[in-house]
Amino acid sequence: MHDDPENGRTNIPLCIPGPVRHLLWGIIVLCVIFAALIVVIPLPLYRLIGNSFEVVAAFFCMCVCLYAYRHWSGRVILLLAAFAFGEYALATVFWYLFTLLPLTVSLGRPFVFTSVAELSFFGFMLFFIAGFQIEGKKEPVSLMLTWLLPVLFLIVPLIMIDKYGITLRTMMLLVQFIVVEQLIAVTISHGFFRYPLLWAGVCARCLVSMLYGLRETLFLYYPSWAINLPVAEKTFSVYDLFSIVGPLIIASIALISLGLLDYIAKQGTAAQPS
C-alpha cells in the first residue's frame, strides 16, 4: 500500500471478496442443474422459474458491478456492465409479462421476438461493445479475420432470408447476428479475449443469443420437429426444448461478471480515499 500525496488517495491491492466469487460460481452450477430439470418440471412452471431466475441473477450482477465501481475500481467498464445487466433484467420482466398479459397472450410467445424487448437484448451487447472500446486499446487484427467474422455470422441469417423472404422475423435475426459479430470482433480487437472467464462468458452469451434467434425463426417454422427423451418418457418440440436458453443466458452473464472482476483485479490497484 502507498499514498499518493497529490490527490490525497491511497492505492490498495484489489482483492475480490470470496463470497462474491462463490455466489457467482454457485449461480453457474445452479444454471446447469436447472437446465437439466426441463425434463422433470412442467414447462409453464419451468419458464416461470427460469425467467424469475434470470431477473434475480441479472440484478445481482448489476449490484456487484456497481459495488465494484464504487469501492474497488472506478473503471467505466464496470458502470456500463451494470447498466447492461440492469436493462437486461428489466427487459426480461417485460418480455415474460408480455406473454401473459390478457391483451397480448393471444399473440403467443413467439410474437415477443419482434417486440421492443429485443432492442433491450441488443442493448445488453451494445453496452459491452462500448465498454470494451472505451476501456481497452485497439490492437492490430489480421485482414483475414476482419473479413472472415462477418462472412461466418452472416451465412445463417442470409440463408433464412433466402428461404423465408424478407420478414420482420428474419430481419430481426439478421440484426441479431450482426450485433453478435460486432461484440466478438471488438472483444478480440481490444484484447479482452486474453481473460479466459470474460472471453468464455462473451462467447457463451453470443452463442445462446444466436440459439435464441434460431428458436424464434427456424424452429418456429417447423413446430413438428420433436425430440423424444426416453429417460423422462417425454416428447418435446425443439422450440419448447430450447427453453433451456434461459438458464444458459444466466450462466453466461455470471461468467462475464466473474471475468470482469478478474480483469479489474489484474489491473493492479484501486484508488481509495486516504
Side-chain angles (χ1 to χ4, degrees), residues 211-227:
L211 291 177
Y212 165 69
L214 289 174
R215 185 187 77 175
E216 302 300 333
T217 51
L218 178 62
F219 300 138
L220 182 67
Y221 290 126
Y222 292 94
S224 61
W225 286 1
I227 296 177

Side-chain angles (χ1 to χ4, degrees), residues 17-75:
V20 175
R21 288 185 180 277
H22 297 156
L23 281 171
L24 289 171
W25 279 113
I27 288 173
I28 294 172
V29 173
L30 284 175
C31 288
V32 175
I33 296 172
F34 183 67
L37 290 178
I38 192 172
V39 301
V40 177
I41 302 174
L43 195 56
L45 179 60
Y46 185 87
R47 287 169 170 167
L48 172 62
I49 296 173
N51 281 276
S52 301
F53 191 7
E54 278 189 70
V55 173
V56 172
F59 273 129
F60 174 72
C61 291
M62 179 193 72
C63 292
V64 168
C65 288
L66 286 176
Y67 188 87
Y69 175 77
R70 177 65 181 85
H71 296 283
W72 302 338
S73 174
R75 292 181 177 275

Side-chain angles (χ1 to χ4, degrees), residues 26-215:
I27 288 173
I28 294 172
V29 173
L30 284 175
C31 288
V32 175
I33 296 172
F34 183 67
L37 290 178
I38 192 172
V39 301
V40 177
I41 302 174
L43 195 56
L45 179 60
Y46 185 87
R47 287 169 170 167
L48 172 62
I49 296 173
N51 281 276
S52 301
F53 191 7
E54 278 189 70
V55 173
V56 172
F59 273 129
F60 174 72
C61 291
M62 179 193 72
C63 292
V64 168
C65 288
L66 286 176
Y67 188 87
Y69 175 77
R70 177 65 181 85
H71 296 283
W72 302 338
S73 174
R75 292 181 177 275
V76 176
I77 192 172
L78 288 170
L79 193 59
L80 291 174
F83 284 138
F85 294 132
E87 67 93 22
Y88 180 81
L90 294 175
T92 301
V93 172
F94 174 85
W95 190 98
Y96 187 66
L97 292 180
F98 201 80
T99 67
L100 299 177
L101 295 177
L103 293 177
T104 54
V105 67
S106 60
L107 298 174
R109 287 173 57 89
F111 182 79
V112 189
F113 184 66
T114 56
S115 73
V116 70
E118 289 306 313
L119 299 180
S120 297
F121 296 144
F122 294 158
F124 175 88
M125 289 182 277
L126 293 176
F127 271 119
F128 280 100
I129 290 172
F132 291 157
Q133 289 179 320
I134 292 171
E135 177 72 20
K137 183 179 180 181
K138 190 170 183 179
E139 303 174 359
V141 179
S142 68
L143 187 60
M144 174 182 283
L145 185 63
T146 303
W147 285 99
L148 183 61
L149 279 177
V151 170
L152 289 176
F153 282 93
L154 286 177
I155 288 175
V156 171
L158 290 179
I159 290 175
M160 295 293 292
I161 291 173
D162 179 65
K163 186 173 180 61
Y164 300 107
I166 298 177
T167 66
L168 183 58
R169 193 171 298 279
T170 56
M171 294 308 295
M172 188 72 75
L173 183 70
L174 175 63
V175 173
Q176 188 174 57
F177 272 63
I178 290 174
V179 174
V180 166
E181 184 274 330
Q182 282 298 297
L183 178 55
I184 292 291
V186 169
T187 306
I188 294 173
S189 65
H190 288 73
F192 287 94
F193 68 94
R194 295 191 180 91
Y195 301 90
L197 288 176
L198 185 55
W199 177 232
V202 169
C203 289
R205 182 67 184 85
C206 290
L207 175 62
V208 177
S209 179
M210 291 186 290
L211 291 177
Y212 165 69
L214 289 174
R215 185 187 77 175

Side-chain angles (χ1 to χ4, degrees), residues 217-273:
T217 51
L218 178 62
F219 300 138
L220 182 67
Y221 290 126
Y222 292 94
S224 61
W225 286 1
I227 296 177
N228 295 317
L229 300 175
V231 176
E233 296 183 351
K234 285 186 177 181
T235 300
F236 284 92
S237 69
V238 176
Y239 181 90
D240 288 340
L241 187 61
F242 266 54
S243 292
I244 63 172
V245 299
L248 295 180
I249 288 174
I250 302 169
S252 70
I253 64 177
L255 269 175
I256 290 174
S257 299
L258 282 166
L260 282 175
L261 296 182
D262 280 348
Y263 165 75
I264 295 300
K266 289 176 181 177
Q267 296 310 298
T269 57
Q272 297 290 351

